[in-house]
Amino acid sequence: MTAQSFAVELILSPHAAHDALAASPQYLAAHPLSTNVFNTALDYALRTSDASKSPAENSPDGIPPTVWILVRAYAGDQPPSTPSSPTAGRIVGAAFHSGTGYPPNLCPMPPGAAAAVADRLFDAVRCKTPGILGPIKGATGHPVAAAEFASRCCDLHRAEVSSRGSTSALSLVPRKVKGLVVYVMTSPPAAVPHPRGGGRLRPPANLSITDDLPWLVTSARAFQDELHLPAVRDDILAAGFERSIAERRVAVWEDDTEKPVGMAVHRAPAGVARISRIGPVYTPPEERRKGFAAAVVASCARMAFADGGAAVVMLFADDADAGANALYTGAGFKRDEEGDSVEIEFATE
């Protein structure tokens, strides 16, 4: 078997990352589900940024720009020191690290490539490369790539601590926090289940910034807190919901008194497969087990197919949450292991 080496590019402009991927489209096309989070984030960045401005100017106040990471493969033990062209080497991996507090998200890549990403990021953080985030606190994404990346990061941290001669600093070890399984739907639900709690879908065209945005932001904050996710600033959540409301991608279920009791958001279709991902999905604790979640998810899926133009709708579920898995199966979604994901954090030994 011919040896191959990897070169890792750190890109701060989403437009530059898009152009590089467009010149090498085979990679994303080969992994439509497991690159959806990357694809969706890149699509959103492209739609909300100005190519004439710098990455820092396009980022919200106080939030570092997202780092887009591309991995290229070369034959031989070492990549060429000066590639023959900017597109030399085929793209075999991708990842991104947003400035909102989430760990890097890794897409599928060959063995050894995720470790190369860790080496490149770790070196950039250590050298305080402008625009590169640090410290790295974990990994998300493709289970194999994320595990390799996390293990290498912990090895690098251990080596750095040893090189300083420190005996008090604690070593880091990767710890799996959560496994996420993927469900897909390839045609809209024939009907929306009528919940035991009654109610109806609030017409997406009737959602307003004044009346609905505060409840949506509060729900998203509760969703993050409940799942122990990094806290995204309220102004960033609000900006995202404002755009989603304007694009009619938010589903809100209201009860018979017109009180909102469930919400779901579908992302704009991304990639050549035109996959729309639903998330977050949230119902307040006091409104659960009344059928609202099933109704709002089915409604959101129908919206994604009808108005969003999706060819496939997908969503993630915690593999340990039997209720959520049963809900999505009952709504007509099918399991697809190609898109399964994992969340890993670093713990001290």
Side-chain angles (χ1 to χ4, degrees), residues 41-133:
L42 182 59
D43 177 72
Y44 183 81
L46 291 170
R47 292 188 296 114
T48 57
S49 64
D50 184 341
S52 67
K53 296 182 178 179
S54 70
E57 290 174 318
N58 279 316
S59 297
D61 290 342
I63 300 295
T66 294
V67 181
W68 309 98
I69 304 164
L70 300 181
V71 183
R72 295 184 185 273
Y74 296 85
D77 294 332
Q78 295 290 331
S81 57
T82 306
S84 57
S85 75
T87 58
R90 58 192 176 89
I91 293 177
V92 295
F96 73 99
H97 192 192
S98 75
T100 57
Y102 282 83
N105 180 280
L106 289 94
C107 301
M109 53 190 73
V117 172
D119 289 344
R120 184 75 173 85
L121 267 182
F122 196 87
D123 185 62
V125 171
R126 183 178 53 195
C127 296
K128 298 182 179 180
T129 303
I132 306 302
L133 307 174

Coordinates of all heavy atoms in Angstrom, one line a residue, residues 41-133:
A41 N -23.1 24.8 8.4 CA -22.3 25.9 9.0 C -21.7 26.8 7.9 O -21.7 28.0 8.0 CB -21.3 25.4 10.0
L42 N -21.1 26.1 6.9 CA -20.5 26.9 5.8 C -21.5 27.6 5.0 O -21.3 28.8 4.7 CB -19.6 25.9 4.9 CG -18.9 26.6 3.8 CD1 -17.9 27.6 4.3 CD2 -18.2 25.5 3.0
D43 N -22.6 27.0 4.7 CA -23.7 27.7 4.0 C -24.2 28.9 4.7 O -24.4 29.9 4.1 CB -24.8 26.7 3.7 CG -26.0 27.3 3.0 OD1 -25.9 27.6 1.8 OD2 -27.0 27.5 3.6
Y44 N -24.4 28.8 6.0 CA -24.9 29.9 6.8 C -23.8 31.0 6.8 O -24.2 32.2 6.7 CB -25.2 29.4 8.2 CG -25.7 30.5 9.1 CD1 -27.1 30.9 9.0 CD2 -24.9 31.3 10.0 CE1 -27.6 31.9 9.8 CE2 -25.5 32.3 10.8 CZ -26.8 32.6 10.7 OH -27.3 33.6 11.5
A45 N -22.6 30.7 6.9 CA -21.5 31.7 6.9 C -21.5 32.4 5.6 O -21.3 33.6 5.5 CB -20.2 31.0 7.2
L46 N -21.7 31.7 4.5 CA -21.6 32.3 3.2 C -22.8 33.3 3.0 O -22.7 34.4 2.4 CB -21.7 31.2 2.1 CG -20.4 30.4 1.9 CD1 -20.7 29.2 1.0 CD2 -19.3 31.2 1.4
R47 N -24.0 32.9 3.5 CA -25.2 33.7 3.4 C -25.2 34.9 4.3 O -26.0 35.8 4.0 CB -26.4 32.8 3.6 CG -26.7 31.8 2.5 CD -28.0 31.1 2.6 NE -28.1 30.3 3.8 CZ -29.0 30.5 4.8 NH1 -29.8 31.6 4.7 NH2 -29.0 29.8 5.8
T48 N -24.4 34.9 5.3 CA -24.5 36.0 6.3 C -23.2 36.8 6.3 O -23.0 37.7 7.2 CB -24.7 35.4 7.7 OG1 -23.7 34.5 8.1 CG2 -26.1 34.8 7.8
S49 N -22.3 36.6 5.4 CA -21.0 37.4 5.4 C -20.9 38.1 4.0 O -21.5 37.7 3.0 CB -19.8 36.4 5.6 OG -19.7 35.5 4.6
D50 N -20.0 39.1 4.1 CA -19.7 39.9 2.9 C -18.3 39.5 2.5 O -17.3 39.7 3.2 CB -19.8 41.4 3.3 CG -19.6 42.3 2.1 OD1 -19.0 41.9 1.1 OD2 -20.0 43.5 2.2
A51 N -18.2 39.0 1.2 CA -16.9 38.6 0.8 C -15.9 39.7 0.7 O -14.7 39.5 0.7 CB -17.0 37.9 -0.6
S52 N -16.3 40.9 0.6 CA -15.4 42.1 0.5 C -14.9 42.5 1.9 O -13.9 43.3 1.9 CB -16.1 43.3 -0.1 OG -17.2 43.8 0.7
K53 N -15.4 41.9 3.0 CA -14.9 42.3 4.3 C -14.0 41.2 4.9 O -14.1 40.0 4.4 CB -16.1 42.5 5.2 CG -17.0 43.7 4.9 CD -18.1 43.8 5.9 CE -19.0 45.0 5.6 NZ -20.1 45.2 6.6
S54 N -13.3 41.5 5.9 CA -12.4 40.6 6.5 C -13.2 39.6 7.4 O -14.3 39.9 7.8 CB -11.3 41.3 7.4 OG -12.0 41.8 8.5
P55 N -12.7 38.4 7.7 CA -13.4 37.5 8.6 C -13.7 38.1 9.9 O -14.8 37.9 10.4 CB -12.4 36.3 8.8 CG -11.6 36.3 7.5 CD -11.4 37.8 7.1
A56 N -12.8 38.9 10.5 CA -13.1 39.6 11.8 C -14.3 40.6 11.6 O -15.1 40.7 12.5 CB -11.9 40.3 12.3
E57 N -14.4 41.3 10.5 CA -15.5 42.2 10.3 C -16.8 41.5 10.1 O -17.9 42.1 10.4 CB -15.2 43.1 9.1 CG -14.0 44.1 9.2 CD -13.7 44.8 8.0 OE1 -13.7 44.2 6.9 OE2 -13.5 46.0 8.0
N58 N -16.8 40.3 9.6 CA -18.0 39.5 9.4 C -18.5 38.8 10.7 O -19.6 38.3 10.7 CB -17.8 38.5 8.3 CG -17.9 39.1 6.9 OD1 -18.9 39.9 6.7 ND2 -17.1 38.7 6.0
S59 N -17.7 38.8 11.7 CA -18.0 38.1 12.9 C -18.7 39.0 13.9 O -18.4 40.2 13.9 CB -16.8 37.5 13.6 OG -16.2 36.5 12.8
P60 N -19.7 38.5 14.7 CA -20.3 39.3 15.7 C -19.3 39.9 16.7 O -18.2 39.3 16.9 CB -21.3 38.3 16.4 CG -21.5 37.2 15.5 CD -20.2 37.1 14.7
D61 N -19.6 41.0 17.3 CA -18.7 41.6 18.3 C -18.2 40.6 19.3 O -19.1 39.9 20.0 CB -19.4 42.8 19.0 CG -19.6 44.0 18.0 OD1 -19.0 44.0 17.0 OD2 -20.5 44.8 18.3
G62 N -16.9 40.5 19.5 CA -16.4 39.7 20.6 C -16.3 38.2 20.2 O -15.8 37.4 21.1
I63 N -16.7 37.8 19.0 CA -16.7 36.4 18.7 C -15.6 36.2 17.6 O -15.7 36.8 16.5 CB -18.1 35.9 18.1 CG1 -19.1 36.1 19.2 CG2 -18.0 34.5 17.7 CD1 -19.0 35.3 20.4
P64 N -14.6 35.4 17.8 CA -13.6 35.1 16.8 C -14.2 34.5 15.6 O -15.2 33.8 15.7 CB -12.6 34.2 17.5 CG -12.9 34.3 19.0 CD -14.4 34.6 19.1
P65 N -13.6 34.7 14.4 CA -14.2 34.0 13.2 C -14.0 32.5 13.3 O -13.1 32.0 13.9 CB -13.3 34.6 12.1 CG -12.1 35.1 12.7 CD -12.5 35.5 14.1
T66 N -14.9 31.8 12.6 CA -14.8 30.4 12.5 C -13.6 30.0 11.7 O -13.2 30.7 10.7 CB -16.1 29.8 11.8 OG1 -17.2 30.1 12.6 CG2 -15.9 28.3 11.5
V67 N -12.9 28.9 12.1 CA -11.8 28.4 11.4 C -12.2 27.2 10.5 O -12.8 26.2 11.1 CB -10.6 28.0 12.3 CG1 -9.4 27.4 11.5 CG2 -10.2 29.1 13.2
W68 N -12.1 27.3 9.2 CA -12.4 26.2 8.3 C -11.2 25.4 8.0 O -10.1 26.0 7.7 CB -13.1 26.7 7.0 CG -14.2 27.7 7.3 CD1 -14.1 29.0 7.4 CD2 -15.5 27.3 7.7 NE1 -15.3 29.6 7.7 CE2 -16.2 28.5 7.9 CE3 -16.2 26.1 7.9 CZ2 -17.5 28.6 8.3 CZ3 -17.5 26.2 8.2 CH2 -18.2 27.4 8.5
I69 N -11.3 24.1 8.2 CA -10.1 23.2 8.1 C -10.2 22.2 7.0 O -11.2 21.5 7.0 CB -9.9 22.5 9.5 CG1 -9.8 23.5 10.6 CG2 -8.6 21.6 9.4 CD1 -10.0 22.9 12.0
L70 N -9.3 22.2 6.1 CA -9.3 21.2 5.0 C -8.0 20.4 5.1 O -6.9 20.9 5.4 CB -9.4 22.0 3.6 CG -10.6 22.9 3.4 CD1 -10.5 23.5 2.0 CD2 -11.9 22.1 3.6
V71 N -8.2 19.1 4.8 CA -7.0 18.2 4.8 C -6.8 17.6 3.4 O -7.8 17.1 2.8 CB -7.3 17.0 5.8 CG1 -6.1 16.1 5.8 CG2 -7.7 17.5 7.1
R72 N -5.6 17.8 2.9 CA -5.3 17.2 1.6 C -4.3 16.1 1.7 O -3.4 16.1 2.6 CB -4.6 18.3 0.7 CG -5.6 19.5 0.4 CD -5.0 20.5 -0.5 NE -5.8 21.6 -0.8 CZ -6.8 21.7 -1.7 NH1 -6.9 20.7 -2.5 NH2 -7.5 22.8 -1.8
A73 N -4.4 15.1 0.9 CA -3.6 13.9 0.9 C -2.6 14.0 -0.2 O -2.9 14.4 -1.3 CB -4.4 12.6 0.8
Y74 N -1.4 13.5 0.1 CA -0.3 13.4 -0.9 C 0.3 12.1 -0.8 O 0.4 11.4 0.2 CB 0.8 14.5 -0.6 CG 0.3 15.9 -0.7 CD1 -0.3 16.5 0.4 CD2 0.4 16.6 -1.9 CE1 -0.8 17.8 0.3 CE2 0.0 17.9 -2.0 CZ -0.6 18.5 -0.9 OH -1.1 19.8 -1.0
A75 N 0.8 11.6 -2.0 CA 1.6 10.3 -2.0 C 2.9 10.5 -1.4 O 3.6 11.6 -1.6 CB 1.7 9.8 -3.4
G76 N 3.4 9.6 -0.6 CA 4.7 9.7 0.0 C 4.6 10.0 1.5 O 3.6 10.2 2.1
D77 N 5.8 10.0 2.1 CA 5.8 10.1 3.6 C 5.7 11.6 4.0 O 5.3 11.9 5.2 CB 7.2 9.6 4.1 CG 7.3 8.1 4.0 OD1 6.2 7.4 4.0 OD2 8.4 7.6 3.8
Q78 N 6.0 12.5 3.1 CA 5.9 14.0 3.5 C 5.2 14.7 2.4 O 5.5 14.5 1.2 CB 7.3 14.5 3.7 CG 8.1 14.0 4.9 CD 7.5 14.4 6.2 OE1 6.9 15.5 6.3 NE2 7.6 13.6 7.2
P79 N 4.3 15.7 2.7 CA 3.7 16.5 1.7 C 4.8 17.4 1.1 O 5.8 17.8 1.8 CB 2.6 17.3 2.4 CG 3.1 17.3 3.8 CD 3.8 16.0 4.1
P80 N 4.6 17.8 -0.1 CA 5.6 18.8 -0.7 C 5.7 20.1 0.1 O 4.7 20.6 0.5 CB 5.2 19.0 -2.2 CG 3.7 18.6 -2.1 CD 3.5 17.6 -1.1
S81 N 6.9 20.6 0.2 CA 7.0 21.8 1.0 C 6.4 23.0 0.2 O 5.9 24.0 0.8 CB 8.5 22.1 1.3 OG 9.2 22.2 0.0
T82 N 6.4 22.9 -1.1 CA 5.8 24.0 -1.9 C 4.9 23.3 -3.0 O 5.4 22.8 -4.0 CB 6.8 24.8 -2.6 OG1 7.7 25.4 -1.7 CG2 6.1 26.0 -3.4
P83 N 3.6 23.1 -2.7 CA 2.7 22.4 -3.6 C 2.8 23.1 -5.0 O 3.0 24.3 -5.1 CB 1.3 22.5 -3.0 CG 1.6 22.7 -1.5 CD 2.9 23.5 -1.5
S84 N 2.6 22.3 -6.1 CA 2.6 22.9 -7.4 C 1.5 23.9 -7.7 O 1.7 24.7 -8.6 CB 2.6 21.8 -8.4 OG 1.4 21.0 -8.3
S85 N 0.4 23.8 -7.0 CA -0.7 24.8 -7.1 C -1.5 24.8 -5.9 O -1.3 23.9 -5.0 CB -1.6 24.4 -8.3 OG -2.4 23.3 -7.9
P86 N -2.3 25.8 -5.7 CA -3.1 25.9 -4.4 C -4.1 24.8 -4.2 O -4.5 24.5 -3.1 CB -3.9 27.2 -4.6 CG -3.1 28.0 -5.6 CD -2.5 27.0 -6.5
T87 N -4.4 24.0 -5.3 CA -5.3 22.9 -5.2 C -4.6 21.6 -5.3 O -5.2 20.6 -5.5 CB -6.4 23.0 -6.3 OG1 -5.7 23.0 -7.6 CG2 -7.2 24.3 -6.1
A88 N -3.2 21.6 -5.2 CA -2.5 20.3 -5.2 C -2.9 19.5 -4.1 O -3.1 19.9 -3.0 CB -1.0 20.6 -5.2
G89 N -3.0 18.2 -4.3 CA -3.5 17.2 -3.3 C -5.0 17.2 -3.2 O -5.6 18.2 -3.3
R90 N -5.5 16.0 -3.1 CA -7.0 15.9 -3.1 C -7.5 16.1 -1.7 O -6.8 15.7 -0.7 CB -7.4 14.5 -3.6 CG -6.8 13.3 -2.9 CD -7.1 12.0 -3.7 NE -6.4 10.9 -3.0 CZ -7.0 10.2 -2.0 NH1 -8.2 10.5 -1.6 NH2 -6.3 9.2 -1.4
I91 N -8.6 16.7 -1.5 CA -9.2 16.9 -0.2 C -9.8 15.6 0.3 O -10.6 14.9 -0.4 CB -10.3 18.0 -0.3 CG1 -9.7 19.3 -0.6 CG2 -11.1 18.1 1.1 CD1 -10.7 20.5 -0.8
V92 N -9.4 15.2 1.5 CA -9.8 13.9 2.1 C -10.5 14.1 3.5 O -10.9 13.2 4.1 CB -8.7 12.9 2.2 CG1 -8.2 12.5 0.8 CG2 -7.5 13.5 3.0
G93 N -10.5 15.4 3.9 CA -11.1 15.6 5.2 C -11.4 17.1 5.4 O -10.9 17.9 4.7
A94 N -12.4 17.3 6.3 CA -12.8 18.7 6.6 C -13.2 18.8 8.1 O -13.6 17.8 8.7 CB -13.9 19.2 5.7
A95 N -13.1 20.0 8.6 CA -13.5 20.2 10.0 C -13.7 21.7 10.1 O -13.4 22.5 9.2 CB -12.4 19.8 11.0
F96 N -14.3 22.2 11.2 CA -14.4 23.6 11.5 C -14.4 23.8 13.0 O -14.8 22.9 13.8 CB -15.6 24.2 10.8 CG -17.0 23.9 11.4 CD1 -17.6 24.8 12.3 CD2 -17.6 22.7 11.1 CE1 -18.8 24.5 12.9 CE2 -18.9 22.4 11.7 CZ -19.5 23.3 12.5
H97 N -14.0 25.0 13.4 CA -14.0 25.4 14.8 C -14.6 26.7 14.9 O -14.0 27.7 14.5 CB -12.6 25.3 15.4 CG -12.5 25.4 16.8 ND1 -11.3 25.7 17.5 CD2 -13.4 25.3 17.8 CE1 -11.5 25.7 18.8 NE2 -12.8 25.5 19.0
S98 N -15.8 26.8 15.5 CA -16.5 28.1 15.5 C -16.1 28.9 16.8 O -15.5 28.3 17.7 CB -18.1 27.9 15.6 OG -18.5 27.4 16.8
G99 N -16.4 30.1 16.8 CA -16.1 31.0 17.9 C -17.1 31.0 19.0 O -17.0 31.9 19.9
T100 N -18.1 30.2 18.9 CA -19.2 30.3 19.8 C -19.1 29.4 21.1 O -20.0 29.3 21.9 CB -20.6 29.9 19.1 OG1 -20.5 28.6 18.5 CG2 -20.9 30.9 18.0
G101 N -17.9 28.7 21.2 CA -17.7 27.9 22.4 C -17.7 26.4 22.2 O -17.4 25.6 23.1
Y102 N -18.2 26.0 21.0 CA -18.2 24.5 20.7 C -16.8 24.0 20.3 O -16.0 24.7 19.7 CB -19.2 24.2 19.6 CG -20.6 24.3 20.0 CD1 -21.3 25.5 20.1 CD2 -21.3 23.1 20.3 CE1 -22.7 25.5 20.5 CE2 -22.6 23.1 20.7 CZ -23.3 24.3 20.8 OH -24.6 24.4 21.2
P103 N -16.5 22.7 20.6 CA -15.2 22.2 20.2 C -15.2 22.0 18.7 O -16.3 22.1 18.0 CB -15.2 20.8 20.9 CG -16.3 20.8 22.0 CD -17.3 21.8 21.5
P104 N -14.0 21.7 18.1 CA -14.0 21.5 16.7 C -14.9 20.3 16.3 O -15.0 19.3 17.0 CB -12.5 21.1 16.5 CG -11.8 21.8 17.6 CD -12.7 21.7 18.8
N105 N -15.5 20.5 15.1 CA -16.3 19.4 14.5 C -15.6 18.8 13.4 O -15.2 19.5 12.4 CB -17.7 20.0 14.1 CG -18.6 19.0 13.5 OD1 -18.4 18.6 12.3 ND2 -19.5 18.5 14.2
L106 N -15.4 17.5 13.4 CA -14.7 16.8 12.4 C -15.5 15.9 11.5 O -16.4 15.2 12.0 CB -13.6 15.9 13.0 CG -12.4 16.7 13.7 CD1 -12.7 17.0 15.1 CD2 -11.1 16.0 13.4
C107 N -15.3 16.0 10.2 CA -16.0 15.1 9.2 C -15.1 13.8 9.0 O -14.0 13.7 9.6 CB -16.1 15.8 7.9 SG -17.0 17.4 8.0
P108 N -15.6 12.9 8.3 CA -14.8 11.7 8.1 C -13.5 12.0 7.4 O -13.4 12.9 6.5 CB -15.7 10.8 7.1 CG -17.1 11.4 7.3 CD -16.9 12.8 7.6
M109 N -12.5 11.2 7.7 CA -11.2 11.4 7.1 C -10.4 10.1 7.3 O -10.7 9.4 8.2 CB -10.4 12.7 7.6 CG -10.3 12.8 9.1 SD -9.7 14.4 9.6 CE -11.1 15.5 9.3
P110 N -9.3 9.9 6.5 CA -8.5 8.7 6.6 C -7.8 8.6 7.9 O -7.5 9.6 8.6 CB -7.6 8.8 5.4 CG -8.1 9.8 4.5 CD -8.9 10.7 5.4
P111 N -7.4 7.4 8.3 CA -6.6 7.2 9.5 C -5.3 8.1 9.5 O -4.6 8.1 8.4 CB -6.2 5.7 9.5 CG -7.3 5.1 8.8 CD -7.7 6.1 7.7
G112 N -5.1 8.8 10.5 CA -3.9 9.7 10.6 C -4.2 11.1 10.2 O -3.4 12.0 10.6
A113 N -5.3 11.4 9.5 CA -5.6 12.7 9.1 C -6.1 13.6 10.3 O -5.7 14.7 10.4 CB -6.6 12.7 8.0
A114 N -6.9 13.0 11.1 CA -7.4 13.8 12.3 C -6.3 14.1 13.3 O -6.3 15.2 13.9 CB -8.5 13.0 13.0
A115 N -5.3 13.2 13.4 CA -4.1 13.5 14.2 C -3.3 14.7 13.6 O -2.8 15.5 14.3 CB -3.2 12.3 14.4
A116 N -3.3 14.7 12.3 CA -2.6 15.8 11.6 C -3.3 17.2 11.8 O -2.7 18.2 12.0 CB -2.5 15.6 10.1
V117 N -4.7 17.1 11.9 CA -5.4 18.3 12.2 C -5.1 18.8 13.6 O -4.9 20.0 13.9 CB -7.0 18.0 12.1 CG1 -7.8 19.2 12.6 CG2 -7.3 17.7 10.6
A118 N -5.0 17.8 14.6 CA -4.7 18.2 15.9 C -3.3 18.8 16.0 O -3.1 19.8 16.7 CB -4.8 16.9 16.8
D119 N -2.4 18.2 15.3 CA -1.0 18.8 15.3 C -1.0 20.3 14.8 O -0.4 21.1 15.4 CB -0.1 18.0 14.4 CG 0.3 16.6 15.0 OD1 0.1 16.4 16.2 OD2 0.7 15.7 14.2
R120 N -1.8 20.5 13.7 CA -1.8 21.8 13.1 C -2.5 22.8 14.0 O -2.0 23.9 14.1 CB -2.5 21.7 11.7 CG -2.5 23.0 10.9 CD -1.2 23.3 10.3 NE -1.2 24.4 9.4 CZ -1.1 25.7 9.8 NH1 -0.9 26.0 11.1 NH2 -1.2 26.7 9.0
L121 N -3.6 22.4 14.5 CA -4.4 23.4 15.4 C -3.6 23.6 16.7 O -3.5 24.8 17.1 CB -5.7 22.8 15.7 CG -6.9 23.2 14.9 CD1 -8.2 22.5 15.4 CD2 -7.1 24.7 14.8
F122 N -3.0 22.6 17.3 CA -2.3 22.8 18.5 C -1.1 23.7 18.3 O -0.8 24.6 19.1 CB -1.8 21.4 19.0 CG -1.4 21.4 20.4 CD1 -2.3 21.1 21.5 CD2 0.0 21.6 20.8 CE1 -1.9 21.1 22.8 CE2 0.4 21.6 22.1 CZ -0.5 21.3 23.1
D123 N -0.4 23.5 17.2 CA 0.7 24.4 16.9 C 0.3 25.8 16.7 O 0.9 26.8 17.1 CB 1.5 23.9 15.6 CG 2.7 24.7 15.4 OD1 3.6 24.7 16.2 OD2 2.8 25.3 14.3
A124 N -0.9 26.0 16.0 CA -1.4 27.4 15.7 C -1.8 28.1 17.0 O -1.6 29.3 17.2 CB -2.6 27.3 14.7
V125 N -2.4 27.3 17.9 CA -2.8 27.9 19.2 C -1.6 28.2 20.0 O -1.5 29.3 20.6 CB -3.7 26.9 20.0 CG1 -3.9 27.4 21.4 CG2 -5.1 26.7 19.3
R126 N -0.6 27.3 20.1 CA 0.6 27.6 20.8 C 1.4 28.8 20.3 O 1.9 29.6 21.1 CB 1.5 26.3 20.8 CG 2.8 26.4 21.6 CD 3.5 25.1 21.5 NE 3.8 24.8 20.2 CZ 4.2 23.6 19.8 NH1 4.4 22.6 20.7 NH2 4.4 23.3 18.5
C127 N 1.4 29.0 19.0 CA 2.1 30.1 18.4 C 1.2 31.4 18.4 O 1.7 32.4 17.8 CB 2.5 29.7 17.0 SG 3.7 28.4 16.9
K128 N 0.0 31.3 18.9 CA -0.9 32.4 18.9 C -1.1 33.0 17.5 O -1.1 34.2 17.3 CB -0.4 33.5 19.9 CG -0.3 33.0 21.3 CD 0.1 34.1 22.3 CE 0.2 33.5 23.7 NZ 0.7 34.6 24.7
T129 N -1.4 32.1 16.6 CA -1.7 32.5 15.2 C -2.9 33.4 15.2 O -3.9 33.0 15.8 CB -1.8 31.3 14.3 OG1 -0.7 30.5 14.4 CG2 -2.1 31.7 12.9
P130 N -2.9 34.6 14.6 CA -4.1 35.4 14.6 C -5.3 34.7 14.1 O -5.3 34.1 13.0 CB -3.7 36.6 13.7 CG -2.2 36.6 13.8 CD -1.8 35.2 13.9
G131 N -6.4 34.8 14.8 CA -7.7 34.2 14.4 C -7.9 32.8 14.8 O -9.0 32.3 14.6
I132 N -6.9 32.1 15.3 CA -7.0 30.7 15.7 C -7.4 30.6 17.1 O -6.7 31.2 18.0 CB -5.7 29.9 15.4 CG1 -5.3 30.1 13.9 CG2 -5.9 28.5 15.7 CD1 -6.3 29.7 12.9
L133 N -8.5 29.9 17.4 CA -9.0 29.8 18.7 C -8.2 28.8 19.6 O -7.6 27.9 19.2 CB -10.5 29.3 18.7 CG -11.4 30.0 17.7 CD1 -12.7 29.3 17.7 CD2 -11.6 31.4 18.2

